[in-house]
Amino acid sequence: MQFRLDPVKFYKLHLFEENDFFETPALLFTIVENDEVARPLVIDSKRLKEQMYKDEKIVANESKKKQKKDDGTVVIDLHADEVLETTAGMNSADILHYQMDVFKKTMAEYKNKKGQKIIFIHGKGEGVLRQAIVHELNYRYKSCSYQDASFQEYGYGATQVTIK
């Protein structure tokens, strides 16, 4: 049996997840799913070496991420350049995954604050991030209500979530 492993993922801290198996976040791979092998293993040693010696690091930009308005509304800008110092070495799926992690952590932080309003700025774009947020709200956060945020304040690329 072979398992395809992308060595670049070992250098992207946002891909490490909380889990039931380890005390610290870990990089998890599905090896067998529904009694079938998920993916083959192939390691490209040249690519691994390139990534190991790369100078650029992917660093979360914690300072810019969260703002609080006077009325207590929390504003989270999920634009990639706001939540990450650099996107070097990341593809669009990696960036979306990180943005959704920021969304989930924010929701977890405020889940017990009934009436809390959170504005997630996702931008207009192609709507991929917005669709992912709406999907999460519909399936994982059913008790929360959401709507488009104020067009005057945030334009057409923001969603307001109210914790209930």
Side-chain angles (χ1 to χ4, degrees):
M1 178 175 117
Q2 291 184 340
F3 181 75
R4 176 154 169 51
L5 185 61
D6 184 2
V8 175
K9 292 184 190 250
F10 288 105
Y11 299 96
K12 297 179 180 178
L13 297 178
H14 65 279
L15 295 178
F16 287 72
E17 305 172 12
E18 294 293 324
N19 60 83
D20 297 331
F21 309 105
F22 303 101
E23 292 177 12
T24 59
L27 186 57
L28 303 177
F29 294 96
T30 303
I31 297 173
V32 176
E33 190 171 50
N34 298 327
D35 295 329
E36 291 185 19
V37 178
R39 302 178 195 123
L41 169 67
V42 179
I43 297 178
D44 180 0
S45 60
K46 286 182 183 177
R47 186 166 179 217
L48 176 59
K49 186 176 180 181
E50 284 174 15
Q51 292 301 318
M52 286 176 69
Y53 292 107
K54 211 174 193 185
D55 291 335
E56 299 168 299
K57 293 180 182 175
I58 297 166
V59 181
N61 192 350
E62 299 292 328
S63 60
K64 287 195 205 174
K65 237 185 330 196
K66 191 189 304 184
Q67 302 170 359
K68 212 165 199 174
K69 291 175 54 179
D70 293 339
D71 64 358
T73 301
V74 176
V75 180
I76 308 291
D77 192 339
L78 295 175
H79 284 96
D81 60 332
E82 292 293 322
V83 294
L84 292 164
E85 285 288 329
T86 178
T87 57
M90 297 178 78
N91 61 33
S92 57
D94 294 334
I95 295 168
L96 177 63
H97 183 73
Y98 187 80
Q99 290 168 315
M100 289 307 296
D101 281 348
V102 172
F103 168 80
K104 290 173 189 173
K105 287 175 184 168
T106 303
M107 291 299 289
E109 182 180 342
Y110 292 101
K111 70 181 177 186
N112 295 324
K113 294 188 177 185
K114 295 194 185 305
Q116 176 68 55
K117 290 185 176 163
I118 308 168
I119 307 287
F120 291 100
I121 301 172
H122 44 70
K124 293 186 291 187
E126 294 178 25
V128 176
L129 179 55
R130 182 186 187 283
Q131 288 175 348
I133 289 171
V134 168
H135 182 269
E136 285 291 311
L137 290 166
N138 286 333
Y139 293 99
R140 193 168 281 169
Y141 305 100
K142 292 179 183 177
S143 63
C144 298
S145 64
Y146 67 93
Q147 65 189 43
D148 288 333
S150 167
F151 297 130
Q152 290 177 333
E153 283 186 73
Y154 306 103
Y156 291 96
T159 300
Q160 176 179 304
V161 176
T162 304
I163 308 293
K164 297 209 175 194

